[in-house]
Each structure stands twice: as C-alpha cells, then as structure tokens.
Amino acid sequence: MTAVPTATRARLNAEFLAQLGRYDHVTRLPNRLHFIDHFDSFAQAERPTMLVLITLADAKHYNEILRALGMAFSEDFVRAGADLLAGLLPSETILYHVSVLSFIVALPVDDPDAFPAVATHIAAAFAGVIEVNAIPIKTQVGVGLLPVDARRGAAESLRAALVAAQDSRNDPSGIAFYNHKSDAAHLRAFRLLADLPAAMASSDQLSLHYQPRIDLQTGRCGGAEALLRWNHPLLGTISPAEFVPLAEQTALITPLTHWVMDHAMGQNRRFLDAGHPMRVSINASPVNLSEEGFDDALLRNCSQAGLSPHHVELEFTEGTLATNSKRAVQQLGNLRSAGVDVALDDFGSGYSNLSYIAHIPADVLKIDQSFVRPLQAAGDDDFLLCHIISIAQGLGFRVCAEGIETAHAYARLRDLGCEEGQGYFMARPMPADRLLDWLDARGTAGPYSLHN
Ligand code: C2E
Ligand code: MG
Ligand code: MG
C-alpha cells in the first residue's frame, strides 16, 4: 500500500470538512451555505423561479416537543418532515435544510404571481398530523413564497422567504407571498428594539409624562400616572403602546421598568418638595412581577428617593395573573403589606371572569377605557359600567375610571359613586414641569370641576 503524503492527507481532510460543513448533520440535506452557493444559478435561470420556504413548526411548538419527548425524538421529527417534503417535490429538485426547522426549494414556475401546485400540496400534506416513531405529531407548517430576484441576494432572499412563511400562519390557505408591508413592520420592530438600550442610556430620548388622577367626589388631584414617552432621534415620537409590548418580548423590559421606577420616584420627590404630595402610579409588565426580587427593588428605589411606600402605586394588568401567577401574587402581596397601593389596570379588557375578581390582589380596579369612553351624553348606555362599579365596590376595591372624555361621563361616574378618574376631560398626560404649573394654577379644584 502506498502511503498518502502528509500534505495530500491534510488537503483531503480539509476538503472533507468543507464538504461536511455544507450538509445538515440531522437530515444530511444540503444546508444554507449550499443554498447560498447555488443562488446565482436560480437568479440567472431562464424561466422565472419561485423560492418556497417551509418551516415545520414555530419555535414555541418545537420547544414543547423537545421538552416532552427529548432531543433524539425532536431530530426524528425534523427528519420525518424532511422525508415527507422530499416525497412531494418533483424529482431533480434540491431540498435545502436551511435552519433547524426550515427548508427551502427553488422551483421553475410559469406564473410568479400564483401559488405553485407544489406549495399547495405541501400545505395540504402537513395540515393534519405526521407520524414520528408511531406517535402522531401536530405540525404547524408555514409555507412562504418569494419570486427569485437577483438584486435581493441569497441571504436577504432567505430572510424574506422566512418572513413570508411566518405570515402564512395567519392565512387560512397556510401559504403566503412575501409582503413588503408586514416585513416593514417586522423591520421597524427590530429597529426599535435595537435602539432601545441607547435610548435608555441617553438623557433626552425617554421621558415620563404624568396624567393627573382625580378624586371624583372632591375634585382633588391625589396622584398621577407616569407614562413613558420616546422621542426617537430619527423616527420621532414612538407610542408606548408600540414599544412597551415589544420590550416585553425581550429582556429589555426589566431595565426599562427600572428606568421608569427610578425617574418616577425621583420626580415624585420633587413634587413633594414643591408642596404637592401625591401618589405616583407606575405601570409594571407581567414579566416584571414574575422576576424574583422585583418587590424589594421597588421598595429600595422608593426609600432611596426619600419617599414613603404610600407615595407609590403599582399598576399591573390581568395578564400578570395568567403567567407565573404564584410569584406575582406573592410580590403584589408583599408590596401591599409594605404600604404600596396596587391597582389592576385596564380591568374588563382581558381575562376577567367573575370567579377570579374576588381574588385579585389589588386595592384599586382601574376600569378600562372601553367602558367609559362611549359615555358621551345623557342616555348613553352605562348598564355594564354601573354593575362593574357596584360589584367591585361590594368586593372592597376602590374604583378608578379611565378615559373620562366628557362632562357627562365625569358627572355620571361621580354620581355612581366611582371614587377616582383619569381622562382628557380633566387633563392629558403632561411633562412634570407642566404638571407642577397645572397643580399650582388650580388649587384644589380644576376647570373640569362641575361645582364651579
Ligand atoms: P395605560 O396604563 O392604561 O395608560 C392609559 C393610557 O390612556 C395612556 O396612553 C393615556 O394617555 C391614555 N388616556 C388617558 N386618558 C384618556 C382619555 O380620556 N381618552 C383617551 N383616548 N386616552 C386616554 P399612553 O400614554 O399612550 O399609554 C398607552 C399604554 O402604554 C398604557 O396604558 C400602558 O399600558 C403602556 N405604558 C405606558 N407607559 C408605560 C410604562 O412605563 N411601563 C409599562 N409597562 N407600560 C406603559
Ligand atoms: Mg396604566
Ligand atoms: Mg389603563
């Protein structure tokens, strides 16, 4: 036997490893690098070519399979998906395995605006369950379509086809073309999340506005809700209703809420020093209350600002009680024992059911705007509102109505015995300096006071 020279062996090893790196180790199919190498040939093909990207399941569903049945089974699941797909493709078509759960094929088509028959077959074949080691598994397949365009390039084409596959989960056909508009929304969300850390670090992007909370019986302002504002250097004003839910999907919600607590408490100390003692309300996300030590951090923040816990209220939403509720309930209890008021925000907009309302760990129920804003003039239906207030009070909660926009709503809620309210009729959220002017100017009663 002739010995292979060392240099040749090293080169063969390198080639072998390079080839190995172009195949997926689970399915042995050509992988993403392989697809990228072949992309130019699709882009230069004479016939129009359609990319069909298939994702077998969303990440959450796949994690559930992993947790319940283990890693080896999960790999069998991916292999079973690959086999089923391969059987549905015309011969000679290469199936690429481009990420753990995603596969792509490039198909010549006659009409780049129509669903190719193969895509319809794939959606139909995966609509039910697939058998993996004799266990029926529900797939959540997504089928995304993107006509090949050389200008887009391989990596960007993969990304766009994946967006289409994700969008297809919201379409009854289970198939979706790449849609620039929905992608623009994804890209904006990504950009906002990428820019949020810099916003927290900068001194002029994030700020808090304060909306007065009024005692409806006396007309006095007993507190204010701190509401986040973001002035993005390039995108302008971004609503918290847009960026807070995004932050909640990531670890950024933790520092964001700490930023709010820190600034709101520091500001409340300044309100106090200016002769306006009040309770400042801070909004917490469900994630915050599921994190150990959130209660201690809030109380520490409060004492560092030189405030008593009675100067702070924490607002939480019904979602908090749905996720990891044991720790959340415990922390809300600890805060209440320490003297912090706790309010359930947007009551009536979520999972409310009558059996749980008695067990809400809160002092205050803030009735969602959707019950209050329709109250524009005498005769407007307030049946539900009356009964919600009466049940809440019967169970010992104080009630705060959100979204009071008219004199009629104000008077009606006061007459129904609702204790507190917030709304544009009395005051919009405003920067701290303006709130101080507003408080100084009005004394104890404001322009909205129906007694004036
Ligand atoms: P929310 O906590 O229920 O706050 C009340 C929202 O209703 C505020 O919107 C406020 O400006 C608005 N509002 C008050 N009175 C009226 C009214 O009479 N009519 C109408 N149409 N709207 C009224 P904003 O400031 O845009 O905040 C939206 C949501 O974003 C908040 O709802 C809250 O869920 C979230 N958010 C704001 N700041 C924070 C924060 O610091 N942390 C967290 N986790 N969420 C926040
Ligand atoms: Mg709130
Ligand atoms: Mg609310």
Side-chain angles (χ1 to χ4, degrees), residues 211 225-229 239-241 244 248 260 283-285 315 345-346 369 373 402-405 423-424 429:
Q211 184 177 36
E225 177 172 5
L227 294 159
L228 257 173
R229 299 290 177 261
S239 162
V244 170
E248 282 175 345
V260 172
N283 289 282
S285 293
E315 297 188 10
D345 203 358
D346 305 336
Q369 304 187 5
R373 280 165 59 193
E402 297 192 273
I404 300 179
E405 292 186 346
Y424 292 172

Side-chain angles (χ1 to χ4, degrees), residues 9-264:
R9 204 166 42 223
R11 185 169 54 77
L12 286 175
N13 277 344
E15 278 173 12
F16 174 72
L17 285 174
Q19 278 307 315
L20 206 61
R22 288 157 52 81
Y23 289 87
D24 184 89
H25 74 280
V26 173
T27 54
R28 311 254 188 260
L29 287 169
N31 66 11
R32 185 175 56 89
L33 298 177
H34 225 120
F35 171 82
I36 290 173
D37 283 352
H38 288 179
F39 182 79
D40 283 347
S41 67
F42 309 139
Q44 286 153 15
E46 276 176 21
R47 280 178 70 191
T49 304
M50 182 81 80
L51 297 179
V52 183
L53 188 140
I54 305 102
T55 45
L56 292 182
D58 69 10
K60 187 164 174 273
H61 180 52
Y62 184 65
N63 276 336
E64 280 163 10
I65 298 175
L66 257 174
R67 274 176 62 130
L69 299 163
M71 291 177 193
F73 184 90
S74 304
E75 291 187 355
D76 288 344
F77 165 69
V78 173
R79 272 190 288 270
D83 289 347
L84 184 54
L85 277 175
L88 296 165
L89 299 176
S91 53
E92 311 287 303
T93 310
I94 302 179
L95 180 64
Y96 302 86
H97 188 174
V98 287
S99 73
V100 178
L101 295 169
S102 301
F103 300 84
I104 199 165
V105 285
L107 297 172
V109 287
D110 295 324
D111 179 1
D113 295 326
F115 287 173
V118 169
T120 319
H121 294 153
I122 292 172
F126 282 90
V129 292
I130 63 171
E131 290 246 324
V132 184
N133 302 340
I135 300 177
I137 297 287
K138 220 173 151 20
T139 61
Q140 287 180 341
V141 86
V143 182
L145 303 177
L146 178 79
V148 172
D149 178 344
R151 288 167 300 181
R152 206 184 275 283
E156 173 57 17
S157 297
L158 274 173
R159 191 194 68 78
L162 184 69
V163 169
Q166 284 168 350
D167 286 351
S168 74
R169 297 218 165 86
N170 301 321
D171 193 292
S173 68
I175 306 171
F177 271 102
Y178 169 69
N179 175 327
H180 179 70
K181 272 203 199 129
S182 79
D183 192 28
H186 281 114
L187 288 174
R188 181 177 159 96
F190 183 74
R191 168 149 192 205
L192 291 181
L193 284 175
D195 291 350
L196 193 52
M200 283 189 266
S202 92
S203 60
D204 59 354
Q205 290 194 41
L206 293 185
S207 64
L208 291 175
H209 280 196
Y210 296 87
Q211 184 177 36
R213 186 139 129 211
I214 306 298
D215 180 324
L216 296 183
Q217 307 303 323
T218 64
R220 280 172 215 275
C221 171
E225 177 172 5
L227 294 159
L228 257 173
R229 299 290 177 261
W230 184 2
N231 189 12
H232 189 285
L234 296 171
L235 302 174
T237 311
I238 319 279
S239 162
E242 181 177 8
F243 70 86
V244 170
L246 291 175
E248 282 175 345
Q249 304 298 320
T250 71
L252 289 172
I253 192 62
T254 303
L256 188 65
T257 303
H258 285 273
W259 188 99
V260 172
M261 290 200 304
D262 205 33
H263 286 74

